[in-house]
Amino acid sequence: RGLIGTMVREIPADRLFLETDGLPAVAWAKGVEHAKLQEIPEVLESSLEYTAVAKGWKKEALACQIEDNLRRWLGRAGRVNDC
């Protein structure tokens, strides 16, 4: 994915977030006209997998990094789960 892959590789991991701009963005990502709310987790998981591969990270490690990024952004330090 040319430009997207380049951008993903260039953004430092400690600055990454994964999100969606709602159902229209989910529909775009899936290449369909309409998306359902239940499809959001699938699209976010796919985005996580793509980003991990592009950066050469294990998916689980990147998920922990993104969780840390969110906690830091929210002003809440510390890890949860198995990160």
Side-chain angles (χ1 to χ4, degrees):
R1 287 191 195 178
L3 179 60
I4 293 173
T6 299
M7 289 173 52
V8 165
R9 286 187 295 277
E10 294 296 322
I11 296 171
D14 67 347
R15 299 287 189 253
L16 277 176
F17 289 98
L18 290 180
E19 53 88 25
T20 177
D21 291 327
L23 292 178
V26 171
W28 175 85
K30 294 183 66 95
V32 298
E33 189 171 336
H34 300 286
K36 297 177 182 173
L37 190 60
Q38 300 88 327
E39 294 174 297
I40 290 175
E42 173 191 340
V43 169
L44 289 174
E45 184 73 19
S46 178
S47 295
L48 177 64
E49 290 172 5
Y50 174 85
T51 304
V53 168
K55 295 193 83 54
W57 283 50
K58 290 185 177 184
K59 182 177 74 170
E60 296 79 11
L62 185 60
C64 286
Q65 177 65 60
I66 291 170
E67 182 178 322
D68 283 351
N69 296 349
L70 179 60
R71 290 180 157 289
R72 193 173 60 254
W73 186 74
L74 293 173
R76 299 178 183 157
R79 291 185 175 231
V80 296
N81 302 324
D82 293 329
C83 290

